[in-house]
Amino acid sequence: MNNAGGRALILALFVVSVAITGGIVTTGSAVAVDDDAVQHVVAQQNATDEDRNETTPHRNPDDYSEDGDLAGVEGVLMDQLMSQLSEGAIQLSEGEYELASEHVDEEYRDRLGQYVDVAGQTEGESHEEQFREIGEQQARLSEAVQEYREKKEQYEAAREVGDEERARELARELEMLADEIDSLGGSVRENYDAIEGTTGSDLSEPDTAVEEVTDDVQAEQEAVREQQFEGTELTLTPERETISFLEPLVATGELRTTDGTPIANEEIRLDIGNHTERVTTDSTGAFTLEYRPTNESLSADELEIQYVPETQSTYLGDETNVSVSIEQAEPSVSLEETPSELSYGEQDSISGELTVDGVAVDNVSLAVTVDGERIGTAVARNGIFDTSVSLPAAVEDGQQELSVRLPFEDRALAAAADETSVTVSETESELSIEGLSDGDRGVTVNGTLSTADGDGVRGEPVQIQIDGATVGTVTTEAGGTFEETVSAPDSIDGGEVTVTAVYDGSGSNIEAATAESAVTIGDAEPQLPSPVRLAAGFLAVIAAGLGVWWYRRAAETGPADGTAGDGES
């Protein structure tokens, strides 16, 4: 074989080897980074002085897979994350809200996912939580600032046409947004500092941009406050520090404007955690507050109490803290109305009382469960709860315990429950499927699990069989639908087969069901993987080409004496 033919054969064999391995050549631990926009200079760890004086080509992390350079890829991704945060903050300061949001949207989250994958394979410290938190905060900050600017325009328009009622309503909304922006801006800047401290990066430019944005909003809102509101001061003096539900917080208080004028003879709203108390001031702005702790932690040493003005009020809110020591009380839950029988999807009413030594408990949520499965929530209002619940499929039929429980732990109220026995009825079901072959060994199965009334059953497992052999299990989705692609076992011949969906109903109150569908599949002979089939095709073509080449070479050369008979040619 001459040199040209040998080179052709070697090239052909190389192509075949690549085809057999699926076209993948690896040189170590590869890291996939799926964004071609990522470009960064990765310095070689052992570069010589001469190398350092040369321009290092940019490397795309998509292609960067040399063994031992994961730390370099991690640095590339971290730089990209900080660059997107920085650009987003700058765009925000320039009023480009959509661009600011784009810098911390899906692309940022994808880059963060890549960073997390790589950081998990290196020995350095991962900053995943910091980047995740700051991305979410900066995204919300951009939204809040944009919302503030839009509402500010509406506010100015309302004032211009003399609609003071609408202007004050908008001013109140602006006040809440300004508070949120101030809080978010502070959190973002704190996270900038944390990242700078652990990575040595310089985030002073985005830090300044965020500071300018929050300062501008606060300055604008200060002008709105002067136009629409008057500041207030709330003071409270408790009778005792140790409190409980049966020995509530009792405090005398006063509400005045910042210049000392009493807010007299008004009903005011005081928020304590997620509870609201309403009291009425007298002619001097004084009032008495009584509050029974319920879901406060036993470790709490103070309660924050906020004055919340009405939307159209000319006053701003205020808050104060009261020192406390909370002792636990034992509540009592009692069921009064419960169903004797429960069925899947049916609405049933449950009612009862929540008290402590006969004193009604207000604004506390209780969990309603059957056989440990939560089926609803009941909220006690002035000691009474009344709710409607619906039984899910995941409760087994038969006699079960229905419970209403106050699920507290280490709170001002201790945990408590009441329960009763109910009968869970089995519900008739229907299962339908349709099988579609891909022309080979694969079968896509679509189906629906529902009740006899046509209500889809979600979250239940359905087993897929082909000619009695189990080939997969799928869980029903919303509406009871499911879809699964399975492969016929090699032990099953080609031709028409029976695809069966089996729902055994175990652990549920839905009746078992099966459904069948006839499907024609391809030959049962084992099939080579596609890369191998491709390689075989390459080999056949190469073999044929080599045969032709060899025949022509022999024909051109002829016998040793240089002559050829008619028969030989």
Side-chain angles (χ1 to χ4, degrees):
M1 184 181 297
N2 62 18
N3 290 339
R7 286 195 298 271
L9 179 59
I10 291 171
L11 176 60
L13 292 176
F14 173 76
V15 171
V16 172
S17 69
V18 172
I20 292 175
T21 59
I24 300 173
V25 179
T26 59
T27 59
S29 300
V31 178
V33 180
D34 60 5
D35 192 331
D36 291 336
V38 180
Q39 296 290 340
H40 191 80
V41 176
V42 180
Q44 301 299 316
Q45 295 178 354
N46 298 318
T48 62
D49 292 338
E50 181 180 351
D51 292 334
R52 293 190 184 97
N53 293 329
E54 296 179 358
T55 301
T56 305
H58 286 269
R59 302 297 298 271
N60 188 336
D62 285 359
D63 307 321
Y64 203 81
S65 58
E66 297 181 18
D67 209 11
D69 285 311
L70 285 177
V73 177
E74 180 183 5
V76 171
L77 295 170
M78 189 160 60
D79 286 348
Q80 278 292 312
L81 289 170
M82 287 188 286
S83 176
Q84 286 180 248
L85 290 172
S86 180
E87 288 297 324
I90 293 169
Q91 295 290 349
L92 175 61
S93 68
E94 295 175 353
E96 299 291 343
Y97 305 117
E98 291 186 6
L99 290 176
S101 297
E102 287 176 4
H103 282 290
V104 286
D105 64 3
E106 185 175 353
E107 182 182 344
Y108 178 87
R109 293 189 293 272
D110 289 344
R111 180 76 68 245
L112 178 58
Q114 296 165 3
Y115 169 78
V116 171
D117 290 341
V118 175
Q121 303 177 55
T122 63
E123 296 180 356
E125 178 185 357
S126 172
H127 307 286
E128 172 189 356
E129 289 306 318
Q130 287 174 319
F131 280 120
R132 190 182 309 281
E133 184 177 355
I134 198 173
E136 293 172 354
Q137 291 173 340
Q138 192 160 313
R140 178 53 195 148
L141 177 62
S142 299
E143 294 172 0
V145 173
Q146 181 177 10
E147 188 178 356
Y148 181 89
R149 300 296 187 200
E150 292 172 351
K151 285 192 182 296
K152 180 71 182 307
E153 291 180 1
Q154 296 173 24
Y155 166 76
E156 298 293 354
R159 290 192 69 217
E160 187 174 344
V161 298
D163 189 348
E164 288 302 319
E165 183 176 341
R166 177 58 176 159
R168 185 166 293 118
E169 180 181 335
L170 288 166
R172 186 74 66 189
E173 294 176 13
L174 288 170
E175 185 71 19
M176 291 186 289
L177 281 171
D179 287 343
E180 182 181 9
I181 290 168
D182 189 49
S183 175
L184 285 169
S187 297
V188 168
R189 296 181 64 203
E190 286 178 6
N191 276 319
Y192 282 164
D193 290 343
I195 291 176
E196 284 182 320
T198 54
T199 66
S201 305
D202 182 8
L203 292 172
S204 58
E205 189 174 8
D207 182 87
T208 299
V210 171
E211 182 181 22
E212 289 177 353
V213 169
T214 54
D215 286 351
D216 287 348
V217 169
Q218 297 310 312
E220 290 182 39
Q221 190 57 27
E222 181 61 33
V224 173
R225 291 190 194 105
E226 292 178 358
Q227 292 165 355
Q228 296 291 334
F229 302 119
E230 190 172 5
T232 61
E233 290 183 358
L234 174 68
T235 58
L236 281 169
T237 304
E239 291 183 357
R240 57 179 175 274
E241 185 171 315
T242 301
I243 63 173
S244 69
F245 184 86
L246 292 176
E247 294 184 349
L249 168 70
V250 177
T252 56
E254 281 188 347
L255 184 63
R256 296 175 177 269
T257 62
T258 50
D259 64 6
T261 303
I263 299 177
N265 304 315
E266 285 195 20
E267 182 183 73
I268 62 173
R269 169 183 163 183
L270 300 176
D271 283 358
I272 308 170
N274 63 345
H275 299 273
T276 295
E277 299 289 336
R278 292 190 178 275
V279 297
T280 302
T281 61
D282 62 17
S283 59
T284 65
F287 61 87
T288 300
L289 169 67
E290 180 176 296
Y291 174 69
R292 299 181 185 274
T294 55
N295 61 350
E296 286 78 9
S297 171
L298 292 176
S299 61
D301 56 9
E302 64 181 16
L303 297 178
E304 181 181 85
I305 302 174
Q306 296 179 316
Y307 161 54
V308 182
E310 299 299 326
T311 301
Q312 291 300 322
S313 172
T314 59
Y315 298 120
L316 286 174
D318 192 30
E319 63 185 42
T320 187
N321 292 329
V322 174
S323 296
V324 295
S325 175
I326 300 175
E327 294 183 345
Q328 194 173 66
E330 297 286 341
S332 174
V333 178
S334 59
L335 286 166
E336 294 183 350
E337 179 187 351
T338 61
S340 59
E341 184 176 343
L342 295 173
S343 299
Y344 173 78
E346 297 292 332
Q347 295 289 323
D348 294 282
S349 181
I350 294 173
S351 63
E353 292 185 351
L354 176 63
T355 59
V356 179
D357 288 354
V359 180
V361 178
D362 186 43
N363 196 27
V364 170
S365 297
L366 301 98
V368 183
T369 63
V370 175
D371 192 29
E373 184 81 15
R374 188 160 185 160
I375 65 171
T377 299
V379 179
R381 303 290 185 189
N382 293 320
I384 303 296
F385 59 86
D386 188 352
T387 189
S388 182
V389 297
S390 180
L391 184 73
V395 178
E396 194 167 6
D397 57 282
Q399 289 297 118
Q400 302 291 359
E401 291 295 326
L402 183 149
S403 173
V404 176
R405 178 178 178 81
L406 183 63
F408 284 176
E409 184 176 348
D410 296 327
R411 302 288 175 140
L413 294 182
D418 192 16
E419 57 187 33
T420 186
S421 180
V422 297
T423 300
V424 175
S425 301
E426 186 177 58
T427 298
E428 293 183 8
S429 66
E430 292 182 356
L431 186 60
S432 62
I433 64 165
E434 179 182 1
L436 178 65
S437 172
D438 64 2
D440 197 357
R441 310 285 295 172
V443 178
T444 298
V445 182
N446 293 284
T448 303
L449 174 65
S450 63
T451 67
D453 294 332
D455 296 329
V457 181
R458 180 178 184 174
E460 292 298 294
V462 176
Q463 190 181 85
I464 308 299
Q465 300 176 354
I466 296 181
D467 279 357
T470 300
V471 291
T473 300
V474 62
T475 301
T476 58
E477 299 179 355
T481 60
F482 60 89
E483 179 179 337
E484 183 78 347
T485 299
V486 295
S487 296
D490 292 341
S491 59
I492 297 177
D493 294 335
E496 185 174 286
V497 297
T498 299
V499 178
T500 306
V502 179
Y503 173 65
D504 63 14
S506 60
S508 81
N509 52 70
I510 305 298
E511 180 184 57
T514 61
E516 295 182 350
S517 177
V519 177
T520 301
I521 62 174
D523 195 337
E525 291 297 324
Q527 299 293 320
L528 293 172
S530 57
V532 178
R533 293 202 301 271
L534 180 62
F538 270 118
L539 284 174
V541 172
I542 292 167
L546 288 174
V548 172
W549 170 79
W550 191 269
Y551 175 80
R552 288 180 176 176
R553 177 179 174 81
E556 292 172 358
T557 303
D561 61 2
T563 63
D566 292 340
E568 287 178 329
S569 64

